[in-house]
Amino acid sequence: VQASEGAVYAVVPYVRPPVTGSVAGLVGAGGNFGGVVFSIIFRYYQDRPAFIIMGVIAAASALLSPLIVIQGQSVIFCNCADKARLGLQKARGTVLNRVDSPNR
């Protein structure tokens, strides 16, 4: 349990560095929400169906996690980091156009 919690919180600073505190708050709230949902599942179902539901939810989130894209980081299915980095530089105004290049 401790390793999985550490793995989740290790990603937090990379999501949006300027708002790390807000992202950490959302991650923590998601953990609390999951605890409440699983408690409700155990309240209304017997042990076996409750564990099956929890397993399906865990498997579905594990299968969907490679689709997460964090701005400025590479992803599993495509190398979008260069495009994301270029988009971030354009947004900040730090990209030099050919006309603006100091080598001309």
Side-chain angles (χ1 to χ4, degrees):
V1 173
Q2 296 296 320
S4 63
E5 291 170 359
V8 169
Y9 279 103
V11 177
V12 168
Y14 297 103
V15 175
R16 288 255 172 133
V19 290
T20 301
S22 298
V23 175
L26 287 171
V27 169
N32 291 336
F33 177 74
V36 169
V37 168
F38 288 148
S39 296
I40 291 171
I41 290 172
F42 271 108
R43 181 180 180 143
Y44 291 107
Y45 293 97
Q46 298 295 323
D47 288 346
R48 184 169 173 82
F51 279 115
I52 289 172
I53 292 170
M54 287 175 50
V56 168
I57 292 171
S61 54
L63 289 173
L64 293 174
S65 64
L67 301 177
I68 296 173
V69 177
I70 298 174
Q71 186 177 5
Q73 303 296 320
S74 62
V75 294
I76 291 176
F77 297 117
C78 71
N79 192 5
C80 303
D82 296 332
K83 292 178 186 176
R85 193 173 297 115
L86 183 63
L88 187 61
Q89 289 174 344
K90 283 183 181 179
R92 290 180 181 163
T94 57
V95 173
L96 294 177
N97 296 329
R98 269 189 224 187
V99 178
D100 299 335
S101 177
N103 295 333
R104 288 188 120 213

